[in-house]
Amino acid sequence: GESLTEISRSSIAALDELTLMRMKNPLAQAIIEWRYLAKGVLFLGQIREHASGAEDGRVHPDYQPLVRTGRMTCKDPNFQQMPAGKDLGVRAAFVAPPGYKLWLMDFDQLQLRLLAMLSGDKTMLDVFKSGGDIHDMTRKAMRIEERRPAKVINFAGVFGGSEGTVADQMFEAGVAPEIVARAGEFLAAFNRRYPGVKRTYWRMKEAAEKDPWVKLPSGRKRRLDHGRERTSMNTAIQMWEADSTKSAFVKLGPAARNLGGWISGFVHDEFHVVLPESVPEEKVWELVTLCED
């Protein structure tokens, strides 16, 4: 691999993680680890700052339901960009108040299911029809134990991510460097396995160059800005996802309040629901079923 002395005229800080991971140098590996830990520390610092300024000592982010595709976004702080590495302990900072439990409810592979319907890719549709798990299939194809790298690869297929983008997302998720360095290989394998996805990406991009409106089967549509035609498939999936999750939101909120609880947070397609400890588990499952209707 390339040594650090060979790039001494470049700024180390400007190097992307994929380049660093391909270097056979202890200093490069130390920089990788430092960057990974620094992102977790920075996010925890933001949480502490926001919590210290609130009357109840808790974080109250600003959720925005109508930005761009209509997908729920978040800021101050942005929960949807929290570092996902388990060893960072960021998620451990989110707890229920005394006397309550925090429940996490999310849709099973929602974006990939929408992608399968949108693209009509036969292999992907067959997996879902048989009750399969695409993340697990990708994990096995990659011959790795962890599920997180497989999820990153699959979502890259949804959003048209490049090798560098995939590597960055794996890095943020705490994936081992030797796996991150093979990001391009795994992404190419995904495209070979699900050819209908790539065909749909190019078909929708070309269609958007002629007609900038992205339309859903429901009739909802959104106009793409000039130069953003490549995001047409991504936009359609996020619009569809927004419709699905917001419909669940409308049902879940009142139902949680009837049990003495509330929705405390929302990350992509995952609801954070706080309920009294006295609520039996069967009642919690009723909330889950409600979101599926």
Side-chain angles (χ1 to χ4, degrees):
E2 188 178 15
S3 69
L4 289 179
T5 55
E6 293 170 339
I7 56 164
S8 57
R9 295 182 181 180
S10 302
S11 169
I12 296 297
L15 289 174
D16 60 76
E17 277 69 35
L18 184 58
T19 300
L20 287 169
M21 288 177 182
R22 286 174 173 169
M23 293 179 179
K24 307 300 182 182
N25 188 287
L27 180 55
Q29 301 307 309
I31 293 172
I32 291 169
E33 184 176 1
W34 176 83
R35 286 183 180 178
Y36 172 64
L37 295 174
K39 288 185 178 182
V41 171
L42 177 62
F43 192 84
L44 288 170
Q46 292 175 346
I47 291 177
R48 182 175 182 179
E49 180 181 352
H50 283 278
S52 63
E55 292 182 3
D56 58 359
R58 303 183 72 84
V59 180
H60 300 273
D62 179 14
Y63 283 96
Q64 300 173 305
L66 297 175
V67 177
R68 291 193 178 181
T69 61
R71 189 186 189 196
M72 189 79 75
T73 59
C74 179
K75 67 176 184 178
D76 298 329
N78 188 349
F79 282 178
Q80 297 181 337
Q81 289 186 350
M82 72 171 70
K86 292 182 179 179
D87 55 331
L88 292 176
V90 172
R91 286 211 165 201
F94 296 84
V95 297
Y100 292 83
K101 284 185 179 180
L102 176 62
W103 297 86
L104 304 183
M105 307 174 186
D106 67 350
F107 287 88
D108 182 24
Q109 307 173 82
L110 176 59
Q111 289 181 340
L112 289 172
R113 292 178 187 274
L114 298 177
L115 175 62
M117 290 188 286
L118 185 68
S119 67
D121 184 90
K122 185 179 185 305
T123 302
M124 193 172 284
L125 285 171
D126 287 345
V127 171
F128 285 123
K129 288 178 181 178
S130 64
D133 185 322
I134 288 186
H135 294 321
D136 195 51
M137 290 186 63
T138 300
R139 178 189 65 79
K140 291 177 180 177
M142 293 168 67
R143 298 181 181 178
I144 56 176
E145 296 297 324
E146 292 184 72
R147 184 178 171 87
R148 172 60 61 173
K151 293 181 70 174
V152 174
I153 290 294
N154 289 338
F155 288 133
V158 175
F159 298 120
S162 63
E163 177 184 3
T165 301
V166 173
D168 288 343
Q169 291 174 351
M170 283 188 178
F171 165 76
E172 291 181 2
V175 175
E178 60 270 20
I179 296 177
V180 177
R182 298 173 61 195
E185 172 191 338
F186 295 139
L187 186 57
F190 176 93
N191 290 331
R192 288 194 300 270
R193 186 175 184 83
Y194 307 112
V197 173
K198 205 66 176 179
R199 285 197 299 267
T200 301
Y201 173 86
W202 290 112
R203 174 178 59 77
M204 294 188 68
K205 178 181 178 296
E206 292 171 359
E209 291 172 350
K210 301 175 182 178
D211 179 3
W213 288 97
V214 176
K215 304 178 183 67
L216 293 183
S218 65
R220 190 158 78 88
K221 60 183 181 179
R222 185 174 186 85
R223 185 181 180 87
L224 293 175
D225 294 335
H226 178 67
R228 294 185 59 83
E229 292 82 6
R230 60 182 177 79
T231 68
S232 57
M233 187 173 79
N234 180 3
T235 298
I237 292 172
Q238 289 197 2
M239 288 168 60
W240 209 342
E241 178 192 34
D243 290 351
S244 302
T245 54
K246 288 177 182 177
S247 295
F249 228 124
V250 171
K251 301 172 185 176
L252 184 59
R257 288 195 295 272
N258 288 339
L259 294 174
W262 62 89
I263 299 176
S264 65
F266 181 68
V267 178
H268 301 308
D269 60 357
E270 177 184 89
F271 297 100
H272 300 177
V273 182
V274 175
L275 297 172
E277 291 179 344
S278 58
V279 174
E281 189 169 326
E282 55 265 28
K283 288 293 184 181
V284 179
W285 279 109
E286 288 180 9
L287 295 183
V288 173
T289 303
L290 190 68
C291 293
E292 295 175 344
D293 291 341

